[in-house]
Amino acid sequence: MEERDSHQGWPRGTAVIGAGTMGLGVAECFAAAGIRVLLTDATPELTREAKGRLVRRTKGHADAGLVAEGAVGRAEAVETADDVAGAVGDVDFVFEAVPEDIGLKEEILDSCSAAAPQDAVIVSNTSSLPINNLSEFVGRPGRFCGMHWFNPPEWTPGVEVIPAAATEPEVVERLVEFLRSIGKRPTVVGDGPGFVANRIQNALFLEALRCVEEGLASPQEVDEVVRSCFGFRLPFFGPFQISDMAGLDVYENVLDVLKEGLGDRFTAPQSLRRLVEEGRTGTKSGAGFLQYTNEERERLLLERDRRYAALGALLEDLPPVDVGKDTP
Ligand SMILES: NC(=O)c1ccc[n+]([C@@H]2O[C@H](COP(=O)([O-])OP(=O)(O)OC[C@H]3O[C@@H](n4cnc5c(N)ncnc54)[C@H](O)[C@@H]3O)[C@@H](O)[C@H]2O)c1
């Protein structure tokens, strides 16, 4: 595993506020990229313990061959601060990852904003709190933005970047460029409840739970269906390209049956009906949610098959994660 070159350019120093599940993983990422990191948690003792955990988990990752050996030294070099003011005073990027409690976020963002340099960019890792509301807690809202990472942050590439109405476009560009430079895949999305990922993820979770409650399958069986059926495609394609490849007319018909049996939450939206009416039924007609030339369509289907075969082979090679069973 090759060590990343030391990060060049912005940010020169980061403060991670809240060293729990997310903050610690993000701190590991920043440190592994060769960025100076200052860490702080609720008390000096919790901060010291968190630093110990950070070094141990990085060692574990290095022992498993998942990160370069040098990452351990970089984790050891992470600095700790006794409080927010001590962490943010000399950095140009502040990453807030304290628990999802609006009162606590207000207190922490207010302290960050008061103690950080004027030009520091402050981001919140909130999963669901409106970014516009949080931006009211910082003195310079133009330099504040949502930055939603996913667990485990060391490995999950996607990050939602959620500007508030006041966020300066230059700040958004800078955050996107920075995330790309450390190997992440940022997408700028709007400030709605749960943004994009959690809204979709929770819709999936609720239907999964309903299937269990209605006795269709156990939790383990639902997980198997999700992973091995439609979930198998998700590393490569999202819902729009998947539905384009299946046929939007098929989706419309299926949704009509689901609505009949399960109610209005499955009503086919007008935007879908319109596409079908216009004959834009997906790859088979050359256009659906996306447009495809004949050559692109052929390439898409071939690359799809190549990727599915490669994923199938990878899953065969990996030992199954045979952990946990349905609770009686
Ligand atoms: N866990 C996830 O899967 C996940 C994913 C994406 C986003 N998030 C979001 O990230 C944020 C953090 O979540 P988490 O799962 O890491 O929570 P967590 O409870 O694991 O960690 C939060 C940390 O903040 C510390 N903390 C509490 N009060 C503090 C204070 N006053 N000053 C400094 N530190 C303080 C806690 O001691 C703890 O170590 C939340 O907004 C959450 O919604 C979580």
Side-chain angles (χ1 to χ4, degrees):
M1 183 64 54
E2 268 180 43
E3 187 170 19
R4 275 183 176 275
D5 288 339
S6 266
H7 182 79
Q8 302 289 317
W10 188 90
R12 297 167 61 77
T14 60
V16 174
I17 316 298
T21 304
M22 297 305 291
L24 218 55
V26 169
E28 183 178 340
C29 272
F30 290 169
I35 302 168
R36 179 181 179 222
V37 180
L38 282 104
L39 195 63
T40 193
D41 203 88
T43 65
E45 196 190 346
L46 285 172
T47 305
R48 265 195 308 280
E49 284 170 15
K51 166 77 191 290
R53 275 202 307 285
L54 173 67
V55 172
R56 283 196 299 282
R57 69 194 261 163
T58 310
K59 275 191 178 134
H61 288 149
D63 290 346
L66 302 176
V67 297
E69 271 301 318
V72 178
R74 289 179 174 184
E76 283 167 345
V78 164
E79 298 159 56
T80 55
D82 283 350
D83 54 22
V84 168
V88 306
D90 182 30
V91 300
D92 47 7
F93 180 48
V94 179
F95 183 85
E96 174 276 303
V98 299
E100 194 81 332
D101 168 319
I102 187 102
L104 181 60
K105 297 271 189 202
E106 175 170 12
E107 179 198 322
I108 295 295
L109 289 172
D110 181 57
S111 313
C112 289
S113 155
Q118 290 282 315
D119 60 351
V121 172
I122 301 175
V123 301
S124 173
N125 190 46
T126 179
S127 310
S128 59
L129 296 169
I131 301 301
N132 273 320
N133 292 8
L134 295 186
S135 77
E136 289 168 13
F137 305 148
V138 296
R140 291 171 298 284
R143 313 192 71 69
F144 174 74
C145 195
M147 182 184 272
H148 182 212
W149 291 53
F150 290 78
N151 191 33
E154 310 90 292
W155 312 114
T156 314
V159 180
E160 290 180 308
V161 174
I162 314 113
T167 311
E168 292 163 17
E170 179 274 324
V171 166
V172 180
E173 277 168 37
R174 203 192 305 182
L175 292 172
V176 166
E177 196 179 315
F178 161 60
L179 287 166
R180 289 205 180 114
S181 76
I182 60 168
K184 293 296 172 188
R185 300 183 57 141
T187 305
V188 179
V189 301
D191 184 18
F195 317 126
V196 171
N198 267 336
R199 177 166 166 180
I200 296 174
Q201 183 168 256
N202 282 286
L204 168 74
F205 174 67
L206 286 180
E207 283 307 325
L209 197 51
R210 288 183 185 121
C211 289
V212 172
E213 286 177 355
E214 291 169 24
L216 297 176
S218 72
Q220 242 181 341
E221 288 162 342
V222 170
D223 277 359
E224 172 62 16
V225 168
V226 170
R227 276 188 293 123
S228 61
C229 301
F230 67 88
F232 180 81
R233 307 154 172 161
L234 293 179
F236 309 109
F237 303 107
F240 293 111
Q241 253 184 331
I242 288 173
S243 59
D244 270 0
M245 286 188 275
L248 301 187
D249 48 338
V250 179
Y251 266 58
E252 186 185 34
N253 291 337
V254 171
L255 281 172
D256 287 343
V257 176
L258 292 182
K259 182 189 172 191
E260 188 71 29
L262 296 170
D264 285 350
R265 70 183 187 276
F266 284 101
T267 304
Q270 275 313 313
S271 57
L272 176 68
R273 294 210 188 277
R274 207 164 34 246
L275 285 174
V276 175
E277 264 165 36
E278 290 167 357
R280 292 161 58 102
T281 51
T283 47
K284 62 188 170 192
S285 70
F289 286 107
L290 285 81
Q291 290 203 122
Y292 314 84
T293 62
N294 282 346
E295 190 269 329
E296 281 172 339
R297 178 178 55 192
E298 294 313 310
R299 193 150 48 86
L300 172 67
L301 298 182
L302 177 65
E303 290 304 328
R304 173 195 68 182
D305 295 347
R306 228 196 274 281
R307 279 160 178 70
Y308 289 175
L311 179 59
L314 175 67
L315 292 174
E316 283 288 309
D317 275 0
L318 289 170
V321 188
D322 208 4
V323 174
K325 45 170 110 50
D326 286 324
T327 39

